[in-house]
């Protein structure tokens, strides 16, 4: 299979359907979920699919997790990583240096181990670090309270 030929064919289909979808009564032919997929003009789609510069930008923006973080899958492993690495790293350096030492996708991944609730897009690295820190601080405080019962 030729990827470029498939992309070209899909673009031609999109370009042919776009005027129909934007006509006065597309609901008679297509359901609303299908119609919502046509939010981009054919020119925008063409630019994304066939501009080599935009493809290179996508590749550059995609970040990969470091192996030491990607290998963390359980909360016990995260707890160990937090107390042995992350909290020590943060306490030894300034906020601005910490920002450069760990990526946002890495922190989001670590937080996803703790909670299934998605992180809001406006959250910064420090916000997510403090969310992780608060989780483990509260866990330690709870354990201490239970011990004294």
């Amino acid at each position: 299979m030729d990827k470029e030929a498939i992309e070209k064919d899909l673009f031609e289909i999109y370009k042919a359907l776009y005027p129909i979808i934007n006509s006065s009564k597309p609901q008679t032919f297509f359901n609303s979920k299908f119609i919502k997929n046509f939010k981009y003009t054919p020119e925008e789609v063409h630019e994304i699919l066939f501009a080599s510069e935009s493809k290179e930008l996508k590749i550059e923006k995609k970040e990969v997790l470091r192996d030491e973080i990607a290998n963390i899958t359980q909360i016990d492993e995260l707890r160990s990583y937090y107390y042995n690495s992350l909290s020590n790293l943060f306490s030894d350096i300034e906020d601005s240096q910490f920002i450069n030492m760990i990526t946002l996708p890495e922190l989001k991944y670590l937080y996803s181990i703790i909670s299934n609730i998605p992180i809001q897009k406006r959250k910064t690295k420090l916000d997510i670090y403090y969310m992780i820190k608060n989780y483990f601080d509260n866990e330690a405080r709870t354990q201490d309270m239970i011990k004294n019962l």
Side-chain angles (χ1 to χ4, degrees):
M1 276 192 224
D2 183 16
K3 181 182 176 192
E4 293 174 356
I6 293 171
E7 287 176 342
K8 184 178 178 191
D9 291 342
L10 289 172
F11 173 71
E12 291 301 321
I13 293 168
Y14 187 94
K15 190 168 75 171
L17 287 173
Y18 188 80
I20 297 168
I21 297 297
N22 288 313
S23 69
S24 61
K25 294 193 178 193
Q27 291 81 8
T28 58
F29 298 106
F30 305 105
N31 69 24
S32 62
K33 287 183 181 179
F34 182 78
I35 292 171
K36 287 180 184 177
N37 291 322
F38 285 82
K39 54 189 165 197
Y40 307 107
T41 65
E43 293 79 16
E44 292 171 322
V45 172
H46 186 271
E47 182 180 322
I48 295 297
L49 285 176
F50 301 110
S52 61
E53 295 174 345
S54 63
K55 286 185 179 182
E56 290 172 2
L57 287 175
K58 279 186 187 176
I59 293 170
E60 289 174 15
K61 287 183 179 179
K62 185 176 181 182
E63 296 193 34
V64 179
L65 300 178
R66 289 179 286 157
D67 287 339
E68 68 177 322
I69 291 178
N71 291 334
I72 299 171
T73 57
Q74 302 292 322
I75 197 154
D76 293 331
E77 296 168 342
L78 176 57
R79 185 179 296 109
S80 174
Y81 178 75
Y82 172 77
Y83 285 117
N84 295 331
S85 299
L86 202 56
S87 64
N88 293 338
L89 175 70
F90 186 75
S91 64
D92 291 343
I93 59 176
E94 294 179 18
D95 291 356
S96 59
Q97 291 174 324
F98 174 76
I99 299 280
N100 297 327
M101 301 190 86
I102 192 163
T103 65
L104 186 61
E106 289 173 341
L107 283 168
K108 285 183 176 182
Y109 171 74
L110 293 174
Y111 185 76
S112 73
I113 295 171
I114 294 171
S115 176
N116 292 333
I117 300 171
I119 297 174
Q120 297 170 341
K121 292 186 180 193
R122 69 175 189 262
K123 295 290 185 187
T124 65
K125 290 180 188 180
L126 286 174
D127 292 336
I128 298 169
Y129 168 77
Y130 281 116
M131 291 165 66
I132 295 169
K133 179 183 183 312
N134 289 339
Y135 175 85
F136 287 114
D137 287 349
N138 290 337
E139 182 183 61
R141 190 169 353 137
T142 302
Q143 292 298 321
D144 186 51
M145 291 168 72
I146 291 172
K147 179 178 68 174
N148 293 327
L149 285 179

